[in-house]
Amino acid sequence: MQISKVIIPVAGWGTRSLPATKNIPKEMLPIYNKPVVQYVVEEAMYSGLTDVVFINNRDKKIIEDHFDYNLALEIVLERAGKTGLLEEVRKVAEMVNIISVRQKKQLGLGHAVLCAKEVVKNDPFAVMVGDDLMFGPDPGIKQLLDVAKDEKLSVIGVMEVPPDKVNRYGIIDGDEFAPGMYRVRDLVEKPKVGEAPSRLAIVGRYVLAPEIIGHLETQEPGHGGEIQLTDALKELARSNSLLAVRMRGQRFDAGDWVDYLTANIYFALQDDQLHDDLKMRLKDFLQLH
Ligand code: G1P
């Protein structure tokens, strides 16, 4: 079956990026010339997903506005003959359909996904965590969609992390049945260093069967007192219906300052107009510091 919907939870506070995010959603911070959330939506679009469900709160309407037309701006650009920019801003409004769902209380990632219950109905759907940016030869979530279609099971994306970072992620325990493909036996949300079953961390990309909604409805608060998606996934693992795929590509955690700043440079260096000057400035700068 064709999967068309992707849930992107965006109602979090973004405390890791304060004070930058005091009045701006963390998803709207720019990475080079686009807000973080645009990279995530582009990944969804290039993977064939057409309907983006933002799980939103009252203060974050500008996220959905970014994916709508801005007619006043378009008139200004048209009159000024700035056709390149005009096309660029229009294109963003035409990427995907936007569906907005309110998360009235921030009770965790699992709760955010549960808020989309009426929208996803009985169809499988994707989830993308807005802080995790993935870049590579093929779009991140497409790698999972391809496996989910072939295997007709739920699939989550994982990457190996250093042993001292396992406590920042959901970690899987699984059997590798083909290169980079795992049958998940169990999962644990943010285990203590030294207590993780592996170093394979969930990296914010999921393709899920609709049964997950029922499991979320019965979840008690878990790690950090929040309704965890990882805990609901345990139920799928228990019935042998959860796979994990080791994702290919480069990942940036936009909520981590080193990753955020590196991502800015990574994208700016891909712009031919900036490449040479930026490289020279960075070289000079690094010699001085
Ligand atoms: C969430 C998930 C966690 C996953 C992580 C990836 O955690 O709960 O399992 O590894 O996203 O970014 P959060 O970063 O929202 O605390």
Side-chain angles (χ1 to χ4, degrees):
M1 117 167 302
Q2 188 63 28
I3 299 177
S4 61
K5 293 190 181 96
V6 54
I7 299 176
I8 306 183
V10 293
W13 279 104
T15 45
R16 288 192 295 164
S17 307
L18 282 169
T21 47
K22 188 178 166 200
N23 277 299
I24 299 170
K26 59 178 173 167
E27 295 79 7
M28 292 305 289
L29 293 179
I31 289 190
Y32 177 36
N33 61 356
K34 298 180 210 169
V36 167
V37 67
Q38 189 174 329
Y39 291 93
V40 180
V41 169
E42 284 176 359
E43 179 188 322
M45 178 185 72
Y46 291 132
S47 303
L49 297 164
T50 50
D51 304 326
V52 166
V53 186
F54 282 129
I55 310 298
N56 221 335
N57 72 28
R58 61 189 309 134
D59 298 323
K60 292 189 146 186
K61 270 184 54 240
I62 71 165
I63 297 176
E64 43 197 270
D65 291 348
H66 184 70
F67 296 95
D68 198 350
Y69 293 105
N70 181 337
L71 295 180
L73 174 64
E74 288 181 22
I75 290 169
V76 170
L77 293 173
E78 198 156 18
R79 285 195 186 142
K82 297 190 171 169
T83 43
L85 283 176
L86 178 62
E87 236 169 73
E88 189 83 18
V89 298
R90 261 193 201 147
K91 206 176 65 188
V92 185
E94 286 160 5
M95 284 179 178
V96 287
N97 304 317
I98 300 291
I99 301 156
S100 183
V101 174
R102 281 283 176 100
Q103 185 181 17
K104 296 180 190 167
K105 291 181 185 170
Q106 275 72 67
L107 301 180
L109 180 60
H111 177 257
V113 172
L114 183 55
C115 288
K117 179 183 171 182
E118 304 304 328
V119 180
V120 299
K121 301 197 173 80
N122 286 321
D123 298 330
F125 59 92
V127 178
M128 297 168 75
V129 170
D131 290 346
D132 276 310
L133 303 182
M134 306 282 310
F135 303 96
D138 34 39
I141 193 76
K142 181 160 190 303
Q143 298 173 30
L144 307 189
L145 287 164
D146 289 346
V147 176
K149 263 176 222 159
D150 288 349
E151 306 282 337
K152 313 244 170 331
L153 289 175
S154 296
V155 184
I156 57 178
V158 292
M159 277 183 160
E160 206 158 88
V161 296
D164 63 326
K165 302 257 161 63
V166 288
N167 56 353
R168 299 183 183 183
Y169 299 94
I171 302 288
I172 69 154
D173 179 15
D175 295 315
E176 190 167 15
F177 65 95
M181 306 243 291
Y182 303 82
R183 195 167 291 283
V184 180
R185 235 175 307 167
D186 200 5
L187 311 92
V188 43
E189 180 68 10
K190 304 199 174 84
K192 290 200 178 98
V193 170
E195 290 180 13
S198 78
R199 285 166 47 199
L200 292 169
I202 306 172
V203 288
R205 297 291 181 272
Y206 311 77
V207 175
L208 300 173
E211 289 74 57
I212 194 75
I213 296 291
H215 297 315
L216 284 168
E217 280 176 321
T218 54
Q219 265 331 295
E220 296 291 327
H223 182 89
E226 297 188 336
I227 308 284
Q228 296 290 351
L229 180 56
T230 304
D231 293 341
L233 291 172
K234 277 166 172 275
E235 311 283 339
L236 296 183
R238 218 166 276 158
S239 59
N240 248 333
S241 41
L242 182 64
L243 302 181
V245 168
R246 192 195 287 256
M247 298 190 77
R248 301 175 297 275
Q250 176 81 43
R251 167 179 177 262
F252 298 108
D253 173 1
D256 173 274
W257 284 118
V258 172
D259 270 22
Y260 175 80
L261 295 167
T262 313
N264 272 280
I265 295 167
Y266 174 89
F267 284 104
L269 284 175
Q270 287 176 26
D271 184 331
D272 292 343
Q273 309 264 335
L274 264 64
H275 181 273
D276 293 353
D277 281 354
L278 179 60
K279 211 168 159 186
M280 203 151 51
R281 289 289 290 271
L282 286 171
K283 231 163 118 190
D284 290 350
F285 188 79
L286 289 173
Q287 260 163 11
L288 285 174
H289 292 83

